């Protein structure tokens, strides 16, 4: 009536399940809420520069799972799983984790055997150190900060940003993660930085290869065995005295993946005991 345009019909207003913008989701309005007492409880750390948290939407479709966001240690409680999601600024959010006391709270849960899972920037935080030699993220060349130290790995930011779709199979994880072995994984990567098991191996030449976990130049190898497929090998730096004694402490790659754009096959992520990290966004969807 007001516009003078012929109208065929009216679409009713409805709650559509569309992906939210990172900072505008109604889910985040419930940050630090108490546990709902469901059988499985997952706590997602609400990082100041949180991004790509739609990686976790699949859990909202499982009635038995309580997925909640936490921004202070006192609200963390005792979840079955803690997820460090993606971030637009890994180093600043890593410093926030430490200054807020959240890092210590997460470490306490790790020592209790709870599953700690990092995605993209969250994965980078799980390692020993994050460095930004060219100032790509921080704007300050040479910036470097200690990671949480849960995984034997280092991350270095380079000038090139990796953007691609990947698919693959989860490898020979041990302990609490072993039930994932042989499962398919599909998703995408969009990140600065490369993560490797030996900081000395993180150079520009190898970063350009696109490998998520770079080859080590030292002795020692870690093998990812795939059911019904040839093994992929993740090279790492382990002396005889440093090699893990038990399966629960064994460090492996998370998955063997293929870049859907280039066809290159690489090893993604790292896992050790009850700690796991991956660069794959959408890792839980399949």
């Amino acid at each position: 009536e007001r516009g003078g345009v012929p109208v065929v019909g009216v679409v009713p207003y409805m709650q559509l399940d569309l992906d939210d913008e990172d900072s505008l989701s109604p889910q985040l309005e419930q940050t630090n809420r108490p546990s709902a007492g469901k059988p499985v409880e997952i706590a997602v750390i609400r990082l100041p520069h949180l991004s790509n948290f739609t990686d976790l939407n699949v859990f909202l479709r499982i009635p038995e799972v309580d997925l909640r966001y936490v921004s202070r240690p006192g609200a963390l409680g005792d979840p079955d799983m803690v997820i460090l999601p993606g971030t637009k600024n890994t180093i600043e959010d890593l410093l926030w984790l430490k200054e807020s006391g959240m890092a210590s709270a997460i470490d306490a849960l790790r020592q209790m055997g709870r599953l700690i899972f990092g995605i993209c920037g969250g994965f980078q935080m799980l390692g020993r150190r994050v460095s930004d030699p060219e100032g790509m993220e921080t704007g300050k060349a040479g910036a470097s900060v200690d990671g949480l130290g849960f995984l034997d790995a280092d991350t270095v930011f380079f000038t090139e940003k990796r953007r691609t779709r990947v698919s693959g199979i989860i490898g020979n994880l041990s302990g609490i993660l072993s039930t994932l072995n042989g499962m398919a994984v599909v998703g995408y990567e969009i990140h600065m930085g490369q993560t490797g098991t030996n900081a000395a191996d993180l150079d520009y030449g190898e970063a350009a290869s696109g490998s998520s976990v770079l080859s080590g130049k030292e002795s020692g190898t870690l093998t990812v065995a795939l059911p019904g497929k040839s093994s992929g090998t993740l090279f790492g730096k382990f002396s005889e005295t440093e090699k893990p004694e038990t399966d629960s402490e064994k460090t492996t790659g998370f998955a063997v993946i293929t870049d859907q754009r280039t066809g290159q096959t690489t090893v993604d992520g790292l896992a050790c005991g009850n700690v796991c990290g991956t660069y794959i966004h959408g890792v839980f969807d399949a």
Side-chain angles (χ1 to χ4, degrees), residues 2 5 19 22 25 68 70 80 86 88 114-115 122 133 142 146 149 162 167 177 192 201 212 223 260 276-277 284:
R2 297 173 61 185
V5 178
D19 286 349
D22 288 336
S25 172
R68 59 192 185 89
V70 179
D80 300 284
K88 296 182 178 72
R114 305 299 181 261
L115 178 58
D146 286 338
R162 179 167 166 82
S167 61
L177 295 163
M192 301 290 292
D201 297 331
S212 295
T223 301
Q260 297 302 299
C276 184
F284 301 116

Side-chain angles (χ1 to χ4, degrees), residues 13-89:
Y13 178 83
M14 63 187 73
Q15 291 291 339
L16 299 176
D17 189 10
L18 303 178
D19 286 349
D20 300 312
E21 290 290 339
D22 288 336
S23 60
L24 303 177
S25 172
Q27 298 178 52
L28 301 182
E29 296 176 1
Q30 302 183 52
T31 297
N32 297 322
R33 68 166 175 79
S35 170
K38 294 183 178 181
V40 177
E41 182 183 349
I42 299 176
V44 182
I45 306 303
R46 184 178 177 180
L47 302 167
H49 300 89
L50 173 115
S51 68
N52 300 89
F53 72 95
T54 50
D55 291 340
L56 313 173
N57 283 357
V58 62
F59 293 119
L60 300 176
R61 291 165 168 74
I62 307 175
E64 295 82 7
V65 173
D66 177 25
L67 182 79
R68 59 192 185 89
Y69 289 81
V70 179
S71 64
R72 52 184 175 81
L76 192 55
D78 184 18
D80 300 284
M81 179 179 183
V82 176
I83 296 178
L84 287 163
T87 169
K88 296 182 178 72
N89 195 311

